[in-house]
Amino acid sequence: MTTQAVRLFRRMDGLLAVYKPQGVHWKLVRDTIETNLLKELNSCPPPAPQLAVQFQLLSSGENNGSKDLILSPSMLPTLADHPLVTGPQFHKVHVGVGHRLDAFSSGVLVLGVGKGNGVLEHLCKSHVTRDYTLEGEFGKATDNFSHTSRVIEKTTYDHVTQDKLERVLAMIQGANQKALITYSQVDLSTQEAYELAARGLLYPHGKSPPILTGLRCIHFNPPHFTLEVQCVNETQKYLRKLIHEVGLELRTSAVCSGVRRTRDGPFKVEHALTRQHWTADSIIQAIAHFRKTTRKIRKSGMYRQTAGQLNSSAKIQEQITSQTGQSEQTGQEHVQLTSPTSDIIVEKVTPGTLGEREVK
């Protein structure tokens, strides 16, 4: 018979999204959620103790002076399974982290609990796009592209307009679209490639550098501006450097004052749990909310893994076939080189001369 703690633990398998605040390391977020889950699990009431039969020795006749002893059976609880003896029932809850955020960044952080860590691996290997909101400031440059670091340069920005900024963003997005087509490894002359491009389903195969699939300005009030970015295979350092490169293209300098992730694949910021909701009840509700999404990710990951195995086996078969064909061709050439029809030495015997040889 399962206990209340075990039933609660089984409901914790899955994926959820939390909102990581700026200035907090992702390890602290993971450890805090793991601690809250362990507290909730170990606070469940323990099961009723098992009863065991014990025999007690009693005297059989204290009044009449008899010294005989008798055994009296009784049911007493066993304390071997008591929490004060065994300690907490749960010592570890495996909480995994998906696409990570550095301490400078904030936003959606996807976590996997229990068996959800296997699905989390499929999500990390998939080429889902992520949305970011980047805050920038013109007029200065730092050594690591963030506004809190050491300032190494100051410039003017009066010549920067929103039209110039949008033209620079369009140029950067066009260069990234070419890179996306290059790394997608599709034949652009086919109908399939046209349909994928029309629906925005092109994604890079294998390892690729960071690629921007969308880039636009949503706020412009010099020296401050805000960009909305959609990208794959990115890092937060790359996004901060992007702000710096935008400033260079505009003949000025710029630093990044904020990186905020608003979407990680199917997980959006409106469904992310804030710090005051990092409790066991809220986490279980969030896992139940993303239950269908978790199943879809698991199915797509299994399909992708099967397709990869089939492709690898097909490549191995092609290599074996090509090697077999090369070996057969080499064998035929060897037979032709050692054929007895080339430079045959025929020995003719005539009545007058013995051992005369003729070369044909």
Side-chain angles (χ1 to χ4, degrees):
M1 184 177 181
T2 59
T3 62
Q4 181 180 351
V6 173
R7 290 193 297 268
L8 184 63
F9 179 76
R10 292 175 179 175
R11 295 170 58 191
M12 293 181 180
D13 292 333
L15 299 179
L16 74 150
V18 299
Y19 189 90
K20 190 194 84 65
Q22 185 177 359
V24 179
H25 201 277
W26 62 267
K27 291 184 179 179
L28 181 60
V29 177
R30 180 198 60 188
D31 295 342
T32 302
I33 291 179
E34 181 178 341
T35 302
N36 293 341
L37 292 178
L38 283 175
K39 286 182 179 179
E40 183 67 22
L41 288 172
N42 291 321
S43 63
C44 294
Q50 297 181 356
L51 299 178
V53 179
Q54 293 186 2
F55 296 91
Q56 296 179 351
L57 293 175
L58 298 177
S59 60
S60 61
E62 297 179 355
N63 296 329
N64 54 13
S66 176
K67 296 182 180 180
D68 296 337
L69 298 178
I70 62 173
L71 294 177
S72 175
S74 62
M75 301 292 293
L76 297 177
T78 58
L79 301 178
D81 297 332
H82 197 275
L84 296 178
V85 177
T86 61
Q89 183 178 2
F90 294 89
H91 300 273
K92 179 71 175 178
V93 176
H94 189 193
V95 179
V97 182
H99 301 105
R100 299 170 181 174
L101 289 170
D102 57 19
F104 178 78
S105 308
S106 62
V108 178
L109 184 66
V110 181
L111 303 177
V113 182
K115 296 180 181 179
N117 288 277
V119 186
L120 193 63
E121 294 181 1
H122 294 317
L123 179 65
C124 293
K125 293 179 181 179
S126 62
H127 299 276
V128 295
T129 58
R130 288 171 286 279
D131 295 354
Y132 289 87
T133 301
L134 307 181
E135 302 286 342
E137 182 181 353
F138 292 118
K140 61 181 180 179
T142 59
D143 54 359
N144 66 351
F145 316 121
S146 64
H147 71 293
T148 58
S149 185
R150 183 172 61 90
V151 178
I152 60 177
E153 182 184 15
K154 287 188 177 182
T155 57
T156 60
Y157 54 87
D158 297 337
H159 61 282
V160 178
T161 61
Q162 188 171 0
D163 293 337
K164 293 181 180 180
L165 175 60
E166 290 179 352
R167 284 198 295 268
V168 170
L169 297 181
M171 178 189 66
I172 296 175
Q173 185 175 358
N176 280 267
Q177 288 292 337
K178 292 181 180 179
L180 178 62
I181 294 173
T182 302
Y183 286 99
S184 61
Q185 300 179 2
V186 296
D187 188 4
L188 297 180
S189 61
T190 60
Q191 181 67 21
E192 180 183 3
Y194 172 78
E195 293 178 355
L196 291 175
R199 291 184 293 175
L201 298 179
L202 287 177
Y203 58 88
H205 287 272
K207 294 183 179 180
S208 70
I211 297 177
L212 304 178
T213 59
L215 179 63
R216 68 187 184 99
C217 178
I218 59 176
H219 178 72
F220 183 80
N221 185 18
H224 304 283
F225 63 98
T226 305
L227 303 181
E228 188 179 65
V229 181
Q230 293 85 35
C231 48
V232 293
N233 298 336
E234 83 293 340
T235 61
Q236 286 78 55
K237 184 178 180 180
Y238 167 79
L239 296 175
R240 290 193 291 271
K241 187 178 179 181
L242 174 65
I243 296 293
H244 174 73
E245 293 178 350
V246 169
L248 294 180
E249 292 292 337
L250 292 170
R251 301 298 187 268
T252 183
S253 57
V255 295
C256 182
S257 57
V259 177
R260 180 171 177 261
R261 183 190 287 168
T262 58
R263 184 180 64 86
D264 188 354
F267 301 90
K268 299 181 180 180
V269 66
E270 53 265 24
H271 299 138
L273 299 178
T274 54
R275 177 178 289 183
Q276 60 268 25
H277 294 96
W278 293 352
T279 60
D281 294 336
S282 299
I283 291 173
I284 291 175
Q285 292 179 5
I287 291 175
H289 176 76
F290 288 107
R291 191 76 67 186
K292 292 182 179 179
T293 304
T294 304
R295 293 195 189 102
K296 291 181 181 179
I297 296 173
R298 182 184 291 110
K299 289 181 180 179
S300 62
M302 294 174 63
Y303 171 77
R304 192 181 301 109
Q305 184 177 3
T306 304
Q309 293 176 355
L310 292 176
N311 291 334
S312 60
S313 61
K315 290 181 180 179
I316 294 174
Q317 187 66 27
E318 290 178 358
Q319 293 177 359
I320 295 174
T321 305
S322 61
Q323 292 176 359
T324 305
Q326 291 177 359
S327 62
E328 291 179 354
Q329 184 177 2
T330 305
Q332 292 177 359
E333 292 176 355
H334 180 69
V335 170
Q336 291 177 0
L337 291 175
T338 58
S339 176
T341 59
S342 60
D343 296 338
I344 302 177
I345 299 177
V346 181
E347 185 175 339
K348 298 195 303 180
V349 179
T350 58
T353 61
L354 295 175
E356 183 180 358
R357 297 181 178 180
E358 178 181 359
V359 178
K360 294 185 179 181

